[in-house]
Amino acid sequence: MRIAECLLIAACALFAAGPGTLTAEITAPPAVGPLESVMVMQVDGWIRINPEGEVADFTSDTKLLPKLRENLDRIVHTWRFEPVLIEGTPRMVRARTRIVLAANRVGDVYQVKVDNVTFPSNSDATAGTEEVAPWPMTGHRITPPSWPKAMRSMNVSGQVLLCILVGADGHPEKVLAVQSMLFDVKGETRVLRKAIAQFERSAMSAAQRWHLNIPAARSHMPPEHRTVRVPVEFIMGTHAGSELPGQWRLIVRNSTRPVDWVPASPDTPNVGVSDVAAGEIMSSSSLVKLNSVVIGTIVM
């Protein structure tokens, strides 16, 4: 649905106060910042990478229009990766892959580009029968956030991507809202920013009480190896199911925020709110690493 500008402005007066006392260190996000309105779609599939880092095969599990599928397959086969080493030896590997496409109007048509590429489930990356990166992190106790009253009353839906530093006991040590998006809305920028801020505060407040199952081998590693990204959804009404792969959706999103406890590195995946599906817990590390610059590639 589309939210009328005047209704969103009226909703500002209903914003609730921020969260109370916290048990985890909550990194208060800075101003929401610049917003972008864009159509996005997730394409899920599998990619096989040979020992030289070349794409041997790409299979999409997402139903696409023939021309889009053909162009995407051609582009993916030009990508190059760092060879994946298993016991010091480059091997042929197969890994689950998610490609997010973005569409923007150019004149009378929409231009489709690669928005991002991630490898959402390291435990699905295999070489023969071997698991390449067994990094199981699951939620033991994840309570849903409270829905901001103003957003619920206006049927505004969205999603917040949290970055969480997990302690040895499974409880969050630090929580940051990395990026957020609203579904199918239009309005004044200042009002949209307030809507995002409301969702972010609610999501971060809920996360402080979570408990995640962290592998014993990871529990005392440096922060970058104990950091995960978790999407928090505020979905209702006509937006239910809008996160499914293969469906275009109009979103308004802010820029991604840096995670200050994870050292900046080319090996750190750049994961945004559009890249993570409902129910996923994505690690901040991956053995599958792209060497090619793919973001912004025109698909059609």
Side-chain angles (χ1 to χ4, degrees):
M1 64 175 292
R2 294 185 182 277
I3 307 299
E5 209 171 298
C6 58
L7 294 179
L8 275 175
I9 294 173
C12 284
L14 300 178
F15 282 125
T21 304
L22 307 179
T23 57
E25 179 183 336
I26 303 296
T27 303
V32 171
L35 300 181
E36 175 190 27
S37 179
V38 64
M39 297 284 292
V40 296
M41 178 174 68
Q42 292 179 350
V43 178
D44 284 350
W46 293 86
I47 197 166
R48 282 198 306 130
I49 306 166
N50 68 21
E52 289 72 42
E54 301 168 336
V55 176
D57 183 53
F58 170 67
T59 304
S60 171
D61 296 335
T62 302
K63 189 174 182 179
L64 300 171
L65 293 173
K67 184 62 175 178
L68 180 58
R69 180 184 294 275
E70 177 185 336
N71 288 359
L72 190 60
D73 183 74
R74 172 180 52 80
I75 289 168
V76 170
H77 276 82
T78 67
W79 294 352
R80 295 296 178 266
F81 293 79
E82 290 185 20
V84 178
L85 304 180
I86 299 179
E87 297 180 351
T89 303
R91 294 282 298 277
M92 175 81 77
V93 299
R94 181 173 181 261
R96 183 167 291 281
T97 305
R98 175 169 299 141
I99 303 169
V100 174
L101 301 177
N104 283 294
R105 184 178 289 278
V106 179
D108 296 329
V109 299
Y110 277 92
Q111 184 180 72
V112 178
K113 296 183 179 182
V114 175
D115 190 63
N116 205 8
V117 180
T118 57
F119 307 95
S121 180
N122 285 331
S123 60
D124 286 333
T126 61
T129 58
E130 286 185 84
E131 287 192 350
V132 173
W135 194 163
M137 176 78 76
T138 59
H140 174 63
R141 187 172 66 251
I142 296 182
T143 55
S146 61
W147 198 300
K149 290 183 179 180
M151 298 301 96
R152 179 179 288 277
S153 66
M154 299 308 302
N155 195 27
V156 176
S157 295
Q159 181 169 303
V160 177
L161 181 62
L162 296 180
C163 198
I164 301 175
L165 174 60
V166 184
D169 61 357
H171 290 96
E173 291 183 1
K174 296 184 179 182
V175 179
L176 171 69
V178 174
Q179 190 182 32
S180 302
M181 60 184 173
L182 304 174
F183 298 121
D184 303 322
V185 297
K186 286 187 177 181
E188 289 187 3
T189 299
R190 65 179 181 84
V191 179
L192 298 176
R193 286 174 178 164
K194 287 184 178 180
I196 287 176
Q198 277 288 296
F199 281 141
E200 289 183 343
R201 284 198 293 269
S202 180
M204 289 189 296
S205 179
Q208 67 172 318
R209 296 180 291 275
W210 291 355
H211 182 274
L212 300 173
N213 295 322
I214 182 170
R218 296 267 177 175
S219 61
H220 297 287
M221 284 187 172
E224 60 268 28
H225 298 291
R226 294 185 286 112
T227 297
V228 293
R229 286 171 169 80
V230 183
V232 178
E233 290 190 298
F234 298 84
I235 305 292
M236 65 189 303
T238 57
H239 302 287
S242 62
E243 74 283 356
L244 296 177
Q247 296 185 4
W248 288 104
R249 60 186 178 186
L250 175 64
I251 66 169
V252 173
R253 64 187 177 188
N254 56 345
S255 302
T256 56
R257 299 182 176 106
V259 182
D260 59 10
W261 65 83
V262 176
S265 167
D267 295 337
T268 302
N270 180 25
V271 180
V273 68
S274 309
D275 304 317
V276 186
E280 289 182 340
I281 298 178
M282 188 180 291
S283 168
S284 286
S285 61
S286 174
L287 287 185
V288 181
K289 299 180 177 65
L290 263 166
N291 280 339
S292 301
V293 177
V294 302
I295 297 175
T297 302
I298 297 175
V299 180
M300 61 183 299

